[in-house]
Amino acid sequence: MRFSKVLAALLVLIMILSAISCDINFEETEKTTEETTKEATTEATTETTAEGTTDQPDETETEVDYDDPQVDLITIAEALELCGNEGNITEERYYIRATVKTITNPQYGAMVIADETGEISVYGTYSSDGSLAFPEMDETPVKGDEVILHCILQNYNGTKEVKNARLIWFKSNQGNFDVSQYKTATIAEAREAATGEKLLVSGVVARITYANGYKPSGFILVEGGESIYVYNNDAAGQVEIGNRVTVAASKTYWILESESSNAAKHGYKGCNQLEDATVVENDKGNNEWINSAIPTSTVKEIMDTPVSEDITTKIFKVTALIKKAPGKGFVNYYINDLDEKTGSYTYTQCNGGDFDWLDEFDGKICTVYMVALNAKSTVSDCVYRFLPVAVNDEGFTFNTENAAEFAVKYHGVTQFEKLYTGDPSLELVGCVSSELLGFEGATLTYSSSDDGVVSFTGTDSIPESIFMHCHNTGSATVTVTGQYGGKTYSETVTVSVKISDEIPAITVGEAIGAPVGEVITVKGIVGPSLVNQSGFYLIDETGVIAVILSDAELEKVQLGHEVILKGTRATRLKDGATVFGQTNLDGCEILVNNYGDQEYSTATFIEGKTPEEFYALDANEDHGTEVYVLTVTVEVVESAYYTNINLVSGGTKIGLYCSSANQYNWLKAYAGQQVTVEVAPCNWNAKSYYRGCVLAVRHADGTKTCNELNFSK
């Protein structure tokens, strides 16, 4: 049996003699994070009554037998009844005996308790006399333990809950846990274990993760150079960074259910982790976990690692640039390589608030210990999301003697595809400078082992523009050479060229009419970008269709290229939806790129319709392969937490499909102006209505500003 030291010493029972003066002024409007924090500190000492006096700890407490507490108890069903209507709060305190179902926030002692009559939430828990907040107590209950709480009851905004609970007694039920069911394993062995295997794993807690509401959800466990993620909110609430712990848990690979089919397509097994964890041992220490056994890598190498290689939750030491990017109501923190663009952002469930400890490193190049916690899996790709475990600002200074190598690795060889099916007339980088790294004017030159396959123009005098051309079928070794400060560095890359007879392909119109599920090959011009989807509109004289492809495939094309691609005719439709959904081609692969800078056809675009008619389009019909030419006013609505962009005409307002209005930054230049737009109806989420995707703004002189969101510059 496990008791807090205070309780074990006092063995107290709070006896209610008459009315305990515990009236608290609860004229609250909203429980903000700030108010919750304030309450956790103020209630841990004294309580302010409606009259402004303070309620000191009861002096009428007497000792009780903790094996058989003699107090007047109420059931949870009775507690729920006493909570009353919205806004009600009891003046009297009550005793409740129940079992802890879960600890929802150990910072405040928030939990859910249950008995045979029901369950109720506990907003905050303190020691028996109210002098200690939950995390300050020597011992606290965990999931499965039995407790007696002395508490106020309230109905806060319709939520019936226990308020200001004092922990009078608790009994540990952890002795019922059978550790013999678990096999001892190292972290390295746990990473390789089969799904469902029960393991006993030890290590040092290096970082705690948080769910919505800043509730601990899991932690990174490190031993030597190995690490793994332990997911369990109860276990996470019992540990602190630096604790050496042993957990009994089950091995699993976690994937968000809605992403599982996409993950499987890309060979992604999921987040390598332990779940259903119980903390068996905890030394409560502050142990060092950073050591030389942790492998050194780069952000680029991690991002280039295929998701099939199972590196999630494995810790790496990298040198990286930390970048804070505030949004409307959220903050993203990016961890990028030294080129300032290769990288990803942190995995957050608290709108970035769980990573505000990174603020002091914003804009700095630091030593970062991090894991790829998971990979966001979409139809087109899987992209790692990072969890920084520790960051050290060691005053990094770039050695400019490495500028030539940096230019080659990050700006030279990365420009080339493995295969070209036509002449890309690709403009290459000839000069590299970095204000961040402190060098200017590193040069890049290019040569080919076979000019009949691949050749370069302009390399002799290092002009501002250098171009690569592909000629005949074959392979060539391209050498990229960097020079700076008398230092030279070279790397090679093999480029294949396949110039062949044109592959048989159908028109876009025929693709639209193809059966759902059929794999088809289509020829067309790469049109403007999709928004909030990885792809573009493929257009010819017969129609328009949205195509979805991976980021890697998307990088092969630009607006105006003539391509032949293969994909699956699909309709994006959620289970149970009754509307038509979004017609598209899924999982597309570029078979041939004839490049060029061609204007897309507008032969099938619909003119003469009003915004009101667009707004009234029936979601039960397929309008996702249409483009309308409308005259509208661009409306930009900005608030502290969000920005919306709409197309407005009179009383009609057409919303644009996006995850953030920042995806339409290019359209903000027309805010408040009446413009002519090319806009496609889209319904990727199978709603009962269509939203718009703006392809382009038409200008009076006949030119256009196109949506190039997904195209690399």
Side-chain angles (χ1 to χ4, degrees):
M1 188 173 296
R2 172 161 57 93
F3 309 108
S4 74
K5 294 180 180 179
V6 173
L7 297 177
L10 297 177
L11 299 178
V12 290
L13 166 66
I14 300 176
M15 303 299 292
I16 303 176
L17 298 178
S18 53
I20 300 175
S21 57
C22 294
D23 291 348
I24 302 176
N25 185 356
F26 286 99
E27 296 178 1
E28 304 173 13
T29 56
E30 182 180 0
K31 294 179 186 176
T32 65
T33 301
E34 181 179 356
E35 289 167 340
T36 302
T37 304
K38 180 179 179 182
E39 181 177 12
T41 56
T42 57
E43 286 191 342
T45 54
T46 60
E47 300 173 28
T48 303
T49 68
E51 290 76 21
T53 60
T54 57
D55 177 26
Q56 299 298 332
D58 259 331
E59 297 182 3
T60 59
E61 300 173 354
T62 58
E63 293 186 1
V64 299
D65 180 356
Y66 276 80
D67 291 325
D68 187 18
Q70 301 299 307
V71 292
D72 292 328
L73 300 169
I74 64 170
T75 65
I76 289 178
E78 291 171 327
L80 292 168
E81 184 69 24
L82 288 165
C83 287
N85 297 323
E86 185 172 336
N88 182 61
I89 182 169
T90 64
E91 295 183 358
E92 184 177 352
R93 284 181 175 271
Y94 297 89
Y95 291 96
I96 301 176
R97 182 170 184 164
T99 299
V100 177
K101 187 174 181 180
T102 184
I103 303 291
T104 56
N105 194 330
Q107 185 177 356
Y108 308 117
M111 62 183 76
V112 177
I113 58 174
D115 66 10
E116 65 277 4
T117 70
E119 64 180 51
I120 192 170
S121 295
V122 179
Y123 181 56
T125 307
Y126 307 88
S127 60
S128 62
D129 62 359
S131 64
L132 298 176
F134 194 78
E136 296 173 332
M137 290 188 275
D138 292 321
E139 293 183 90
T140 53
V142 297
K143 178 181 178 181
D145 287 352
E146 194 174 355
V147 297
I148 292 180
L149 303 179
H150 193 214
C151 56
I152 297 166
L153 301 167
Q154 70 172 1
N155 186 325
Y156 180 80
N157 289 343
T159 299
K160 297 181 177 183
E161 62 185 8
V162 167
K163 176 73 173 178
N164 194 6
R166 296 182 177 185
L167 180 62
I168 304 306
W169 168 91
F170 81 92
K171 181 177 71 173
S172 172
N173 289 323
Q174 304 311 301
N176 299 327
F177 181 76
D178 187 3
V179 74
S180 66
Q181 299 290 317
Y182 296 80
K183 181 180 73 173
T184 300
T186 65
I187 290 178
E189 291 168 339
R191 292 189 58 85
E192 299 296 325
T195 297
E197 192 168 354
K198 292 186 175 183
L199 304 170
L200 202 61
V201 184
S202 300
V204 177
V205 176
R207 177 59 56 186
I208 297 172
T209 61
Y210 295 88
N212 187 32
Y214 300 95
K215 301 172 183 177
S217 57
F219 52 91
I220 296 293
L221 199 63
V222 179
E223 189 75 338
E226 296 289 346
S227 65
I228 195 168
Y229 181 57
V230 180
Y231 174 73
N232 184 273
N233 59 342
D234 290 299
Q238 299 174 52
V239 302
E240 295 181 356
I241 294 175
N243 291 170
R244 177 173 294 281
V245 301
T246 298
V247 297
S250 297
K251 174 62 185 295
T252 191
Y253 289 90
W254 179 83
I255 301 174
L256 189 66
E257 185 175 353
S258 61
E259 297 180 6
S260 58
S261 60
N262 293 330
K265 182 172 68 173
H266 299 296
Y268 176 50
K269 296 169 64 175
C271 172
N272 192 329
Q273 66 179 44
L274 300 173
E275 65 175 0
D276 298 329
T278 298
V279 178
V280 178
E281 295 179 2
N282 186 347
D283 73 350
K284 301 288 187 178
N286 185 21
N287 300 282
E288 180 60 59
W289 56 268
I290 295 176
N291 57 71
S292 59
I294 294 174
T296 299
S297 185
T298 67
V299 175
K300 184 179 185 299
E301 288 171 346
I302 293 172
M303 293 297 295
D304 288 344
T305 302
V307 293
S308 58
E309 289 192 17
D310 190 22
I311 66 167
T312 56
T313 78
K314 182 177 178 64
I315 194 164
F316 292 96
K317 176 185 177 182
V318 301
T319 299
L321 172 67
I322 307 294
K323 189 68 176 177
K324 179 180 180 180
K328 295 292 184 178
F330 68 92
V331 177
N332 279 335
Y333 291 89
Y334 287 84
I335 301 176
N336 290 333
D337 214 320
L338 301 186
D339 62 349
E340 303 182 58
K341 65 179 182 178
T342 302
S344 188
Y345 51 87
T346 56
Y347 181 85
T348 176
Q349 297 186 68
C350 304
N351 294 323
D354 45 341
F355 291 108
D356 58 6
W357 60 276
L358 292 174
D359 285 354
E360 65 175 294
F361 306 111
D362 181 30
K364 297 180 179 180
I365 299 174
C366 301
T367 299
V368 181
Y369 295 87
M370 70 175 196
V371 301
L373 189 62
N374 71 349
K376 174 71 175 176
S377 302
T378 65
V379 170
S380 59
D381 214 347
C382 287
V383 180
Y384 292 119
R385 296 291 181 261
F386 293 153
L387 174 68
V389 181
V391 177
N392 295 327
D393 179 7
E394 299 175 337
F396 174 83
T397 300
F398 181 73
N399 184 353
T400 56
E401 290 190 356
N402 298 324
E405 179 180 353
F406 173 83
V408 170
K409 287 182 176 294
Y410 286 88
H411 296 274
V413 295
T414 57
Q415 300 174 91
F416 300 96
E417 301 293 339
K418 293 180 179 179
L419 174 66
Y420 292 91
T421 55
D423 181 12
S425 188
L426 178 65
E427 184 174 5
L428 301 172
V429 175
C431 184
V432 176
S433 300
S434 174
E435 182 178 349
L436 177 71
L437 301 182
F439 71 87
E440 183 176 0
T443 61
L444 291 174
T445 57
Y446 307 86
S447 62
S448 171
S449 63
D450 189 341
D451 288 340
V453 177
V454 174
S455 66
F456 300 94
T457 60
T459 56
D460 292 339
S461 57
I462 317 298
E464 293 184 1
S465 297
I466 303 173
F467 289 88
M468 180 191 80
H469 298 280
C470 295
H471 306 288
N472 301 305
T473 296
S475 294
T477 299
V478 171
T479 301
V480 184
T481 301
Q483 290 183 318
Y484 182 81
K487 299 290 184 180
T488 300
Y489 179 85
S490 297
E491 280 192 16
T492 61
V493 58
T494 299
V495 173
S496 296
V497 178
K498 186 177 182 181
I499 307 296
S500 60
D501 294 336
E502 189 167 295
I503 299 172
I506 62 176
T507 67
V508 173
E510 290 170 324
I512 294 170
V516 172
E518 183 174 332
V519 177
I520 53 180
T521 302
V522 191
K523 181 179 181 179
I525 303 299
V526 175
S529 173
L530 302 177
V531 176
N532 207 34
Q533 300 288 334
S534 179
F536 53 84
Y537 286 101
L538 186 69
I539 304 173
D540 68 6
E541 294 79 7
T542 67
V544 179
I545 193 168
V547 301
I548 301 294
L549 27 64
S550 69
D551 290 345
E553 290 292 301
L554 187 56
E555 288 176 359
K556 298 177 181 179
V557 300
Q558 292 291 331
L559 179 68
H561 285 178
E562 182 186 67
V563 298
I564 298 175
L565 55 81
K566 181 174 68 174
T568 302
R569 173 65 171 82
T571 298
R572 186 69 63 84
L573 191 64
K574 291 185 176 180
D575 292 341
T578 58
V579 297
F580 193 89
Q582 178 67 45
T583 294
N584 68 290
L585 297 179
D586 260 351
C588 293
E589 176 188 359
I590 305 296
L591 301 180
V592 173
N593 190 344
N594 293 321
Y595 304 97
D597 186 16
Q598 305 184 48
E599 290 190 18
Y600 55 85
S601 173
T602 60
T604 62
F605 288 17
I606 300 171
E607 301 196 43
K609 296 290 185 179
T610 66
E612 290 77 13
E613 289 174 300
F614 183 100
Y615 183 82
L617 291 175
D618 189 349
N620 294 295
E621 301 171 353
D622 184 11
H623 295 285
T625 57
E626 300 171 345
V627 177
Y628 290 76
V629 180
L630 304 175
T631 299
V632 295
T633 298
V634 177
E635 178 189 65
V636 178
V637 181
E638 294 187 292
S639 76
Y641 298 101
Y642 66 90
T643 301
N644 282 338
I645 296 185
N646 304 302
L647 307 180
V648 179
S649 174
T652 299
K653 185 177 295 187
I654 300 170
L656 301 183
Y657 175 67
C658 59
S659 62
S660 166
N662 290 333
Q663 294 172 317
Y664 275 107
N665 276 339
W666 68 277
L667 204 55
K668 292 179 181 179
Y670 306 99
Q673 300 180 32
Q674 188 178 72
V675 294
T676 298
V677 297
E678 298 171 354
V679 56
C682 61
N683 195 5
W684 294 98
N685 293 328
K687 301 288 188 181
S688 59
Y689 53 85
Y690 281 101
R691 288 191 176 274
C693 179
V694 178
L695 278 69
V697 172
R698 291 184 175 182
H699 304 301
D701 62 0
T703 61
K704 296 180 183 180
T705 298
C706 292
N707 184 348
E708 298 188 54
L709 174 68
N710 287 338
F711 299 116
S712 59
K713 299 294 187 277

